[in-house]
Amino acid sequence: MLTPLTVAVAVAALALAAWCGFAAYRDQPTKDWHFIGMAVVTVLALVQLVVGIVQLARGQEADEGAVVFVSYLLGAAASIPAVAMLSLSERTRWGSATVAAGAVVLAVLQVRLHDIWVGSGV
């Protein structure tokens, strides 16, 4: 797994979380600009999914197994689109809060993906 890509996805997700969290604090729903941010983070997560699958196809192995690794990659790629759909149905501050929470979840998934790939070192 490419560590710089994992860090980039995590940082972008945390930036999205802060941005949408601030919108929720200001009692605002998600707006078009938020959806552009969600699209950027989703594209990064999809690139990570492709890179991870290519590395597995080349014969590299995740420390905790390919099935767990691919499951986490799929969950990471789906987390932001899922909360984006929820925020469309909830056009209040809670839609923004939902995106912020989903983005934090994506950042945590990045830490877990790194652990699955290289091992926790324990």
Side-chain angles (χ1 to χ4, degrees), residues 72-92:
Y72 270 87
L73 281 174
L74 290 171
S79 63
I80 297 301
V83 295
M85 295 302 290
L86 285 172
S87 74
L88 280 174
S89 66
E90 182 61 45
R91 300 302 296 163
T92 65

Side-chain angles (χ1 to χ4, degrees), residues 3-120:
T3 301
L5 181 58
T6 303
V7 171
V9 175
V11 168
L14 290 175
L16 179 65
W19 188 21
C20 290
F22 185 67
Y25 172 76
R26 293 186 57 202
D27 202 20
Q28 297 175 342
T30 51
K31 297 184 177 167
D32 291 343
W33 292 106
H34 294 115
F35 285 99
I36 292 170
M38 287 182 251
V40 169
V41 174
T42 300
V43 166
L44 286 171
L46 289 172
V47 167
Q48 184 182 43
L49 172 67
V50 170
V51 168
I53 291 173
V54 166
Q55 286 185 329
L56 288 174
R58 287 184 176 172
Q60 296 177 355
E61 294 183 18
D63 194 45
E64 294 186 26
V67 173
V68 173
F69 182 67
V70 171
S71 298
Y72 270 87
L73 281 174
L74 290 171
S79 63
I80 297 301
V83 295
M85 295 302 290
L86 285 172
S87 74
L88 280 174
S89 66
E90 182 61 45
R91 300 302 296 163
T92 65
R93 73 185 300 178
W94 297 109
S96 295
T98 301
V99 174
V104 170
V105 167
L106 177 57
V108 172
L109 285 173
Q110 296 307 302
V111 174
R112 184 68 182 122
L113 273 167
H114 185 267
D115 285 346
I116 291 169
W117 186 257
V118 298
S120 61

